[in-house]
Amino acid sequence: MEKLIYTGKAKQMWQTDDPDVLRVVYMDQATALNGKKKEHFAGKGAAAKAISDLVFHYLIKHGIPTHFIKQLSPTEDLVKKCDMFPLEFVTRNVIAGHFASRYGLDEGKVLPEPVEETFYKSDQLNDPFINESGTIALGIASHADLEKAWSLSREVNGLLKPLFEKAGMQLVDFKLEFGRLSDGKIVLADEFSPDNCRLWDLKTKHHMDKDVYRRKLADLTTTYDKVLARLQKVVKEEA
Ligand code: ADP
Ligand code: UDP
């Protein structure tokens, strides 16, 4: 019997009969301000899942270990169950979002090298920033775990920046999550969609990510469908 083990801000996680396998359901919902603002968007779950699946396929093809097993339906995937690090690994290529507001900067300048920031995943605490020694002190992860997660994050950035550029988008910043499989291996988990990254149109600099919802700029599902169509075109051309 399947059991709902978690309902998050964008997805539901179901325990399947196999203890090592979860069914993920992408919901037609968007949130901002750590869940304080919430809205229903028809088709958003399928669009985010399709983008994430395409990106995960691309990463797997290029050697990144991930939790992905297979698609079940337009809104559902099977994934390998992980013991998740309660951390958000954020990489920034361009000044935007909280990096701009925190340091009083304008958005848009390309950073001389990617900025890497780790946040402790806790809606209650508002996902506070945490550094390496804090992570170790709290017993969240070891130095080796963090090194592995960051080296995979760098590889992901190296693969996805040019992919999005070919699709006419600047990969401004993104958040990854990692977890440990039952055999101890660390893999990329969760998702990669415009819910967790910033994408700007290369020419117009228009936002093509969740900021269109946060900042009330355009329809969310329509925007995600555009991102998907652009990525599908590039991946097809590469095949
Ligand atoms: P949030 O928890 O931020 O509201 P979601 O709605 O996306 O986010 O919920 C998905 C949850 O499932 C997240 O807490 C994420 O850490 C977790 N998760 C993602 N992939 C896996 C996995 N392979 N195994 C176990 N948990 C996972
Ligand atoms: N991000 C995320 N989940 C969070 C916080 C941030 O996926 O709980 C992503 C966000 O979409 C962006 C990047 O991490 O691509 C950097 O976000 P930032 O710190 O600027 O915060 P935001 O302005 O997005 O709240």
Side-chain angles (χ1 to χ4, degrees), residues 175-186:
K175 182 265 295 179
L176 300 180
E177 291 187 28
F178 295 89
R180 204 189 290 284
L181 300 179
S182 54
D183 65 3
K185 190 176 174 189
I186 291 174

Side-chain angles (χ1 to χ4, degrees), residues 24 56 60 76 99 115 145 156 160 169 171 186 204 208 218 229:
V24 185
F56 269 65
I60 290 164
E76 298 165 295
F99 193 81
V115 170
D145 295 336
V156 167
L160 296 187
M169 292 172 277
L171 180 57
I186 291 174
T204 65
M208 301 189 72

Side-chain angles (χ1 to χ4, degrees), residues 6-13 22 24 27 67 79-85 88 121 123 175 177 189-191:
Y6 183 76
T7 300
K9 296 188 289 291
K11 304 190 285 295
Q12 284 182 339
M13 312 303 279
L22 296 180
V24 185
M27 299 186 289
H67 70 163
V79 300
K80 295 174 193 161
K81 185 177 185 175
C82 295
D83 185 10
M84 298 296 290
F85 296 108
E88 301 190 331
K121 223 173 123 68
D123 286 340
K175 182 265 295 179
E177 291 187 28
D190 204 48
E191 67 175 279

Side-chain angles (χ1 to χ4, degrees), residues 7-11 25-48 191 193-196 209-216 218-224:
T7 300
K9 296 188 289 291
K11 304 190 285 295
V25 181
Y26 283 69
M27 299 186 289
D28 280 347
Q29 178 173 290
T31 65
L33 305 168
N34 267 327
K36 286 177 205 94
K37 184 177 159 189
K38 187 157 70 173
E39 232 173 285
H40 179 268
F41 289 95
K44 185 257 174 185
E191 67 175 279
S193 81
D195 269 12
N196 323 100
D209 54 64
K210 205 167 90 173
D211 276 347
V212 302
Y213 165 64
R214 292 188 190 99
R215 303 179 190 191
K216 297 193 173 82
D219 178 65
L220 196 64
T221 307
T222 311
T223 304
Y224 284 23

Side-chain angles (χ1 to χ4, degrees), residues 21-224:
V21 177
L22 296 180
R23 182 168 64 91
V24 185
V25 181
Y26 283 69
M27 299 186 289
D28 280 347
Q29 178 173 290
T31 65
L33 305 168
N34 267 327
K36 286 177 205 94
K37 184 177 159 189
K38 187 157 70 173
E39 232 173 285
H40 179 268
F41 289 95
K44 185 257 174 185
K49 192 197 87 80
I51 294 166
S52 187
D53 284 8
L54 182 150
V55 169
F56 269 65
H57 275 127
Y58 188 81
L59 294 174
I60 290 164
K61 193 175 133 196
H62 290 86
I64 304 291
T66 85
H67 70 163
F68 186 82
I69 300 175
K70 66 171 183 179
Q71 154 164 300
L72 284 182
S73 80
T75 52
E76 298 165 295
D77 281 338
L78 282 185
V79 300
K80 295 174 193 161
K81 185 177 185 175
C82 295
D83 185 10
M84 298 296 290
F85 296 108
L87 295 171
E88 301 190 331
F89 295 84
V90 171
T91 300
R92 303 178 187 274
N93 296 312
V94 178
I95 295 176
H98 275 104
F99 193 81
S101 57
R102 193 192 307 145
Y103 301 119
L105 303 168
D106 290 333
E107 292 192 317
K109 187 173 168 280
V110 175
L111 290 155
E113 59 184 78
V115 170
E116 298 175 346
E117 297 177 340
T118 318
F119 297 89
Y120 178 41
K121 223 173 123 68
S122 162
D123 286 340
Q124 218 178 355
L125 300 174
N126 250 333
D127 296 346
F129 183 83
I130 191 161
N131 66 10
E132 182 154 351
S133 53
T135 311
I136 307 296
L138 296 192
I140 291 171
S142 68
H143 288 293
D145 295 336
L146 293 174
E147 182 43 43
K148 181 70 194 171
W150 277 118
S151 79
L152 287 171
S153 289
R154 279 168 218 137
E155 274 189 71
V156 167
N157 196 27
L159 289 163
L160 296 187
K161 233 168 66 150
L163 177 74
F164 280 103
E165 222 162 273
K166 271 188 215 153
M169 292 172 277
Q170 189 175 26
L171 180 57
V172 171
D173 55 32
F174 59 89
K175 182 265 295 179
L176 300 180
E177 291 187 28
F178 295 89
R180 204 189 290 284
L181 300 179
S182 54
D183 65 3
K185 190 176 174 189
I186 291 174
V187 296
L188 176 65
D190 204 48
E191 67 175 279
F192 194 105
S193 81
D195 269 12
N196 323 100
C197 69
R198 287 196 167 87
L199 300 168
W200 294 348
D201 182 274
L202 271 184
K203 288 195 196 117
T204 65
K205 297 288 169 191
H206 284 165
H207 296 265
M208 301 189 72
D209 54 64
K210 205 167 90 173
D211 276 347
V212 302
Y213 165 64
R214 292 188 190 99
R215 303 179 190 191
K216 297 193 173 82
L217 300 172
D219 178 65
L220 196 64
T221 307
T222 311
T223 304
Y224 284 23

